[in-house]
Amino acid sequence: MGRSLSRSPEVPRAPPRPSSAHVVRSAAAARSGGPGPGSVPRPFAYRARTVIALLLAAVLAGCGAAPAADRQEPLRIGAVPDQDPEVLQRLHGTVADSLSEALGVDVEYVPVTDYAAAVSLFRTGDLDLVWFGGLTGVQARLQTPGSVPIAQRDVDADFHSVFVVNEATGLAPSDDLAPLADLRFTYGSETSTSGRLMPAWFLAEQGVDPAGFPGGPGFSGSHDATLALVASGSYQAGVLNEQVFEARKAAGEIPPSVVRYARSPAYSDYHWLLGPDAVERFGDDLPQRLTDHFTGLSADDPADAEVLDLFGAESFVPTEAANYEQIEQIGRDLGLVN
Amino acid sequence: MTAVLSRAAPPGPRLRRNRRRWGWSLAGLALVAWSLAGSGLFPGPVVNPAGSGEVGRFLSAALRPELGAGFLAVVTEATLVTLAYAVLGAGLSVLLGALGAPLVARATWGRRRPGWRATRAALALPRGLHEAVWGLLLVNVLGLDPWVGVLAIAIPYGAITAKVFADLLDEAPRGGHDALLAAGAGRASAVLYGLLPTAAGGLLSYSFYRLECAVRSAVVLGLIGAGGLGYQLALSFSSLRWEQVWTTVYALAALCLAADVAGRAVRRRVAAPPPGGAAYRRDRVLTGAVAAVVALAVWSAWYLALTPAALFSARTAEQLGYVVSAAWPPATDGGLLATVWATALVTIQMSVLGIVFATVGAVALAPFAARPSAPAGAARRAVGVLTRLGLLLLRAVPPPVWALVLLFVLLPGVLPGALAIGVYTMGVLGRLVGEAVEEADRRPSAALRASGASAAGSRLYGTAPTLAGPVLALALYRWEVAIRDTVLVGLLGAGGIGVLLSAETSSFDWAAVTTVLTAIVLLTFLVDLVSDRARAVLR
């Protein structure tokens, strides 16, 4: 009850919402997105109490006696799965705590497994603040009028992809992408910026048809799957996020049969995007407060360092929609942005 | 003895070939040959031995699933979520089916055949789309609400249930119903007191069967973000943590097993009620089972915090308006239609190859999967249990996981996707064929043995002919299901219409999504029609 009314501004908030309504709501959201460290399963007794409180509140509300206990819904943050989703869960649990402390509002991490789903959930208002990739950020911003880019990492203004080949191809590292045209080739996720969009663009720039590989390109679904498939030789070549490649290399997890073939030119990638719903609930200064919080994170502060470390960044910097115009244009050319 | 005596005299021996049967068989063979030709098996190599290491890692991880306390806690909670979705989805689909059955029953329409046909065809829309596709669409309207998972199961299942319930009502003995009508009872009372009691057993059996299927569907939904075991599986799968994948698969297998065992017990009880005037007394076991499921449904609604308000909220209406206005009219440009056509053909090839592989595998395993009719030795029983557990695992691993694993050792193309569907379907079909073997008429082969035939001869001429019909019917029935599953796999390599759907949904081209979905619905409707006719002829 109450949850539907609370979301859309044009419906008057006539029945005063019980103070515990948001707890039930977030429990529902956590379940439907699956439990994660950010959404700790609540003990049964607690849940029972919630239900009783809700019933009581409903009865009181019916009598018109309850005061308007207007506690806000939490700020819901989420991320598009790109790197190790487990890390993402840990990452966002930590970020949720750090944000909650800095802003003085309840922050809840909502896990999502799918790029398209994250964009849709941002549009429906189920997610308020999302760590999007370059392309998904553009898709989400175009579908959700009033959303604002908040911040990006220092590395995101200068992001790269790496093309990898199986050693059996005999190709030596080079800047020439043309030899890849005759190989069985896989991208990562379909709307991944670093695993699909920008590599396709750079291939096209060098005269390689990005959809013309023998048998058609594959979409492995994740950077790790791309690595494993190229290692097996089922696909002779592939492309992935450089950051992921370097992280796997540092951990000694790159199979010996995978050769780093080429590094793409630089482009803008990940950023935080804030939805219009949250601005209405938390005030017009929310975007600025968020930007200030992220750019103010300092590697010298142990708590901040933990957040920065999880994101693999030295610092966050402000960003604006104009930084993603190139991505939007390429997305339109490739039919990924409508 | 009475059963034998009361049997109708066998029809006279057929001296001529059944032309229609031959025609359908030849058409079937041609279809398989065409699919094989499209698989790339003939022109070049399809195997990639270098990838066997990764498959080895996948298989060996089965022996050491992740058992850390933290992960087990997560998996336990996820199992409960999956169970809740399955119970609510199946429960709602039975409700929808019961409401819809009178609308599509032949009895309602009587001689007005076009009306009956039209309502049946209308069911093709909800049935034709896979649960995961419904899930994807519903996420766009309802957001993160738990209704997404419940409705994604209930909509397609509800349509299937309505059709089956209608068939059960049509086939139930009508004596009591007609007598009541003749005695002056109203139509509603006649159906309620004359028809429903005779059909009740079948309806109950089928409802429990739906519950078993819903458990597996609830997992596939998790893969698109609806939570539960599938969600955990997707997380572990995309970072290739096979130990964790297997833990989730085992949890799912345990859930499937519990649903199978309970459902089987109920169905057995319905098929063979305990002797001694049971017809006049309420069967305590069945009443208990129904009460337990109802209690489970209430718990599930509470556990998922399901409230009807979300369905009627202003936001839902707003989002529905957004999607509908973006999706209509469908895209009709020539390029898209040509791609739809080409990928639809690939989808048919994949599903045909998958079902052929599954059928061959299921038939080969059937002698081991079936529970022996006579008391058997410990070794035979152990083999039986192992085979059935193996089949359970084959169907507990979702098709997209099979597709990636197979792609490590097969070159991209139709084959990995087809085999992924094949392996998964073999898990389902192996069990069904095993049950068919258990229930098969043993008298022909016994008679052959008694008259001196060899063991092999009695199987070939006694058992095989009695099983051929049911097995073909099961395979054709699963073909309808396989074509829907094919939409899920094949993102890698040349993967059919599912790839196109995924491309259009991820670029949010709703008009094109409508076109592709229409094509998928038509495709499944066509396969349904062909499979229905083929079953009628080959049976």
Side-chain angles (χ1 to χ4, degrees), chain A residues 123-176:
Chain A
R123 191 192 71 229
T124 57
D126 281 279
L127 296 176
D128 295 317
L129 179 65
V130 179
W131 181 239
F132 277 119
L135 174 62
T136 41
V138 167
Q139 288 182 329
R141 187 156 44 80
L142 294 179
Q143 290 183 25
T144 321
S147 48
V148 263
I150 294 293
Q152 62 178 347
R153 296 172 300 188
D154 52 350
V155 289
D156 289 314
D158 182 34
F159 212 82
H160 299 267
S161 301
V162 288
F163 290 87
V164 290
V165 294
N166 187 287
E167 62 174 352
T169 58
L171 290 175
S174 152
D175 284 334
D176 181 16

Side-chain angles (χ1 to χ4, degrees), chain A residues 191-265:
Chain A
T191 43
S192 164
T193 306
S194 53
R196 162 84 191 279
L197 180 82
M198 295 313 289
W201 172 249
F202 295 127
L203 283 166
E205 273 200 322
Q206 295 208 13
V208 178
D209 177 3
F213 297 99
F219 294 100
S220 73
S222 74
H223 298 299
D224 285 308
T226 301
L227 266 181
L229 284 168
V230 173
S232 78
S234 289
Y235 283 100
Q236 296 162 298
V239 64
L240 70 154
N241 180 324
E242 185 185 43
Q243 223 194 2
V244 173
F245 184 87
E246 290 302 330
R248 297 292 175 271
K249 195 169 153 191
E253 287 171 3
I254 302 284
S257 56
V258 172
V259 176
R260 181 181 166 135
Y261 177 72
R263 183 190 201 214
S264 79

Side-chain angles (χ1 to χ4, degrees), chain B residues 83 184 202 288 328 426 433:
Chain B
L83 179 67
W328 199 262
M426 192 166 101
V433 173

Side-chain angles (χ1 to χ4, degrees), chain B residues 523-538:
Chain B
L523 192 63
T524 35
F525 184 62
L526 191 76
V527 167
D528 183 21
L529 216 63
V530 171
S531 139
D532 211 41
R533 297 299 298 273
R535 262 182 298 181
V537 171
L538 293 175

Side-chain angles (χ1 to χ4, degrees), chain B residues 121-129 134 521:
Chain B
L123 287 184
L125 173 64
R127 280 181 65 195
L129 299 180
W134 278 113
V521 169

Side-chain angles (χ1 to χ4, degrees), chain B residues 35-427:
Chain B
S35 304
L36 272 174
S39 73
L41 260 176
F42 303 127
V46 288
V47 181
N48 170 36
S52 51
E54 194 66 38
V55 175
R57 267 190 285 285
F58 168 74
L59 291 178
S60 65
L63 299 176
R64 41 186 173 79
E66 162 125 22
L67 295 173
F71 190 68
L72 282 187
V74 168
V75 168
T76 309
E77 163 117 14
T79 309
L80 292 180
V81 173
T82 299
L83 179 67
Y85 275 121
V87 169
L88 284 179
L92 189 58
S93 71
V94 168
L95 208 63
L96 290 175
L99 291 176
L103 296 179
V104 290
R106 209 180 282 244
T108 317
W109 293 94
R111 287 170 185 278
R112 285 159 292 180
R113 304 279 289 193
W116 176 70
R117 284 223 180 84
T119 48
R120 285 259 158 153
L123 287 184
L125 173 64
R127 280 181 65 195
L129 299 180
H130 194 277
E131 297 90 81
V133 177
W134 278 113
L136 268 175
L137 294 177
L138 287 164
V139 159
N140 275 286
V141 175
L142 293 167
L144 266 184
D145 201 88
W147 275 108
V148 171
V150 175
L151 286 180
I153 296 177
I155 291 173
Y157 276 29
I160 299 171
T161 310
K163 185 186 166 211
V164 174
F165 276 12
D167 288 346
L168 287 171
L169 284 179
D170 284 339
E171 284 163 17
R174 311 190 69 86
H177 172 259
D178 294 347
L180 279 173
L181 274 187
R187 269 180 82 92
S189 325
V191 168
L192 214 55
Y193 294 100
L195 199 54
L196 218 48
T198 48
L203 298 180
L204 192 65
S205 286
Y206 187 75
S207 304
F208 273 85
Y209 172 70
R210 270 295 119 195
L211 182 61
E212 298 171 38
C213 299
V215 171
R216 282 200 303 276
S217 291
V219 168
V220 176
L221 281 176
L223 290 176
I224 60 139
L229 280 176
Y231 171 73
Q232 290 308 324
L233 199 138
L235 283 188
S236 310
F237 172 55
S238 66
S239 47
L240 307 188
R241 283 162 200 266
W242 297 128
E243 289 82 5
Q244 295 186 352
V245 167
W246 277 106
T247 310
T248 357
V249 165
Y250 288 139
L252 169 62
L255 209 53
C256 285
L257 190 65
D260 279 8
V261 168
R264 206 178 147 90
V266 168
R267 282 183 281 134
R268 286 264 158 107
R269 189 81 175 189
V270 171
Y280 306 106
R281 238 178 302 136
R282 189 161 282 154
D283 187 333
R284 288 230 181 97
V285 174
L286 289 182
T287 314
V290 171
V293 169
V294 170
L296 209 54
V298 172
W299 168 82
S300 304
W302 168 73
Y303 192 67
L304 295 176
L306 200 67
T307 60
L311 290 181
F312 307 105
S313 76
R315 185 188 76 149
T316 302
E318 187 187 319
Q319 295 298 337
L320 187 65
Y322 173 89
V323 172
V324 169
S325 68
W328 199 262
T332 49
D333 58 291
L336 178 69
L337 293 183
T339 319
V340 165
W341 174 251
T343 50
L345 292 183
V346 173
T347 297
I348 295 178
Q349 290 178 331
M350 273 168 86
S351 67
V352 168
L353 288 181
I355 210 71
V356 167
F357 178 84
T359 310
V360 171
V363 168
L365 287 177
F368 309 106
R371 290 171 182 77
S373 54
R380 169 68 184 80
R381 269 179 303 173
V383 168
V385 169
L386 283 180
T387 310
R388 285 193 293 275
L389 279 181
L391 289 172
L392 179 66
L393 285 182
L394 288 190
R395 61 180 186 266
V397 176
V401 176
W402 282 124
L404 182 67
V405 169
L406 286 166
L407 195 62
F408 288 128
V409 281
L410 294 172
L411 296 183
V414 171
L415 213 53
L419 284 187
I421 291 295
V423 171
Y424 173 79
T425 307
M426 192 166 101

